[in-house]
Amino acid sequence: MNEHSAHIPGQRPPSAAEAERTPLFTRTDEALGEFALRPVDPAADAALLHGWVTHPKAVFWLMQDCDLAAVEQEFTRIAADPFHDAFLGLHNGTPAFLMERYDPAHRELVGVHTAEPGDVGMHFLTAPAAAPLHGFTRVVLTTVMEMLFDDPATRRVVVEPDTRNTAVQALNKAVGFEVLRTVSLPAKDACLSTCTRDQFLATRGDHR
């Protein structure tokens, strides 16, 4: 379900900073509760994201050696890019994952993938957790996919995980991705993979 904040007569509209912290998409998982996404606020979220992207589990994000200033600079750059967005994911109101959306006709895959109308690129990362919840990452990926396909213009999601990242490749397959081929990108060899709306819905048992 896509939820948008509405201005109630007699109340002031939200400020720009408040609007950035308003979830753009919310869904509820029967087992794990509420999941929501809002735009990243580069200055306010930099310290949190620095802890995530420099953690050993985020090795495939290639930001292990970044300091706090570099992380803020990177997400400031993304916020200003018309072909790239970053979203902070919340689990029951607590920051728990990160998602990036990009236009593969202009970013990441230029020259190695012929983007079709409706193609949307995606990256996601779950936060390090002392006591991981069973099935959490699968639910996060499902939430990300539901948000992307909530936009009627999205026809296919495109991803390019590192060929060594077998864990995320298995998750991708579970939600409907198929590997097209291996491609060489500047920082990695990647499994170019795509998932159409129908492929995703087939894994959900939901053919809306």
Side-chain angles (χ1 to χ4, degrees):
M1 179 177 64
N2 193 12
E3 297 183 351
H4 299 278
S5 59
H7 174 51
I8 301 172
Q11 294 185 352
R12 67 172 179 81
S15 66
E18 289 169 338
E20 287 183 348
R21 292 183 171 273
T22 299
L24 300 179
F25 180 86
T26 302
R27 68 179 289 266
T28 299
D29 179 78
E30 291 183 1
L32 297 179
E34 185 181 83
F35 290 77
L37 293 111
R38 65 161 174 81
V40 165
D41 180 332
D45 296 328
L48 175 71
L49 296 177
H50 177 261
W52 294 2
V53 300
T54 59
H55 189 276
K57 78 183 291 288
V59 62
F60 293 111
W61 275 65
L62 305 176
M63 297 181 74
Q64 297 285 291
D65 298 325
C66 289
D67 61 15
L68 178 59
V71 170
E72 181 175 347
Q73 181 178 29
E74 173 64 7
F75 285 98
T76 298
R77 181 194 64 77
I78 291 172
D81 189 333
F83 303 111
H84 200 166
D85 303 291
F87 301 90
L88 189 72
L90 310 174
H91 175 224
N92 293 327
T94 299
F97 60 101
L98 172 67
M99 187 265 275
E100 292 183 8
R101 176 181 66 189
Y102 66 89
D103 183 343
H106 298 275
R107 298 291 179 266
E108 300 286 342
L109 294 170
V110 176
V112 298
H113 168 68
T114 302
E116 298 179 2
D119 276 2
V120 176
M122 179 271 289
H123 304 135
F124 83 101
L125 174 71
T126 55
L133 298 173
H134 177 70
F136 181 78
T137 306
R138 170 73 179 268
V139 175
V140 165
L141 180 54
T142 297
T143 299
V144 165
M145 296 293 284
E146 286 196 4
M147 177 185 175
L148 295 174
F149 282 123
D150 193 56
D151 182 350
T154 300
R155 298 179 59 189
R156 187 170 67 163
V157 180
V158 183
V159 295
E160 19 67 39
D162 194 297
T163 54
R164 297 166 296 174
N165 193 349
T166 55
V168 82
Q169 291 170 43
L171 280 167
N172 288 344
K173 182 178 180 179
V175 300
F177 280 94
E178 62 175 333
V179 178
L180 301 184
R181 63 185 184 277
T182 298
V183 296
S184 293
L185 300 177
K188 63 185 179 183
D189 288 332
C191 294
L192 178 64
S193 309
T194 61
C195 180
T196 65
R197 186 184 301 271
D198 286 345
Q199 287 174 315
F200 173 61
L201 292 179
T203 69
R204 304 283 291 151
D206 180 353
H207 297 279
R208 291 172 294 178

